[in-house]
Amino acid sequence: MLTITEALYDQIVAHARADHPDEACGVVAGPEGSGRPERFIPMLNAARSPTFYEFDSVDLLKLYRELDDRDEEPVIIYHSHTATEAYPSRTDISYANEPGAHYVLVSTADTDSAGPFQFRSFRIVDGEVTEEDIKVVEAY
């Protein structure tokens, strides 16, 4: 289960909406080994595409050095889908290389008539996708 604060949830959704019609992407870091998302890090979609996201390689290297210096790890890796449901694509699955991370997808398309967005979390390990429950809390 992913437990996330309301503030982080709102920041991820706001980033997805702000970058629409392009896909948004980013990371939420937390203390190494804690599994607790704490620090919101929006990233630039280097692909600038409505159907694909890509972290800029220089930004990504800088991010991992910063995480290492701060004894943090990526707890959530998120991105948005602008025209499809919030479910990992084949490309998303092939790029998922953090087995301990929660992969959050926000859809800014109204694909299910349930409202203007979907917010879902998945574990992706060795190409295997498992959806997980999300608990939104006021604070930890």
Side-chain angles (χ1 to χ4, degrees):
M1 174 189 300
L2 169 62
T3 301
I4 185 171
T5 64
E6 194 173 333
L8 287 170
Y9 178 97
D10 290 345
Q11 287 177 299
I12 292 170
V13 171
H15 185 203
R17 286 182 170 155
D19 280 14
H20 187 89
D22 290 339
E23 290 192 4
C25 57
V27 172
V28 182
E32 215 167 275
S34 73
R36 192 173 64 224
E38 293 183 353
R39 189 166 63 94
F40 177 70
I41 309 163
M43 303 283 284
L44 174 69
N45 178 355
R48 299 190 200 283
S49 168
T51 58
F52 180 74
Y53 84 97
E54 179 178 39
F55 292 120
D56 178 83
S57 58
V58 173
D59 289 347
L60 196 57
L61 182 59
K62 182 179 165 193
L63 170 69
Y64 274 90
R65 285 184 176 149
E66 184 181 302
L67 293 176
D68 193 46
D69 289 347
R70 296 172 63 121
D71 294 323
E72 291 177 325
E73 63 187 358
V75 178
I76 294 173
I77 298 171
Y78 73 88
H79 77 280
S80 62
H81 283 180
T82 62
T84 59
E85 71 173 320
Y87 191 85
S89 68
R90 282 187 298 242
T91 304
D92 297 339
I93 294 165
S94 70
Y95 283 177
N97 60 1
E98 288 286 347
H102 302 272
Y103 286 87
V104 166
L105 277 98
V106 176
S107 176
T108 54
D110 186 0
T111 57
D112 61 2
S113 301
F117 70 93
Q118 298 172 338
F119 190 105
R120 298 167 73 183
S121 184
F122 304 88
R123 294 292 191 148
I124 305 174
V125 180
D126 296 328
E128 202 60 38
V129 178
T130 307
E131 186 164 8
E132 61 184 347
D133 291 333
I134 301 169
K135 180 179 180 183
V136 180
V137 297
E138 242 180 81
Y140 298 122

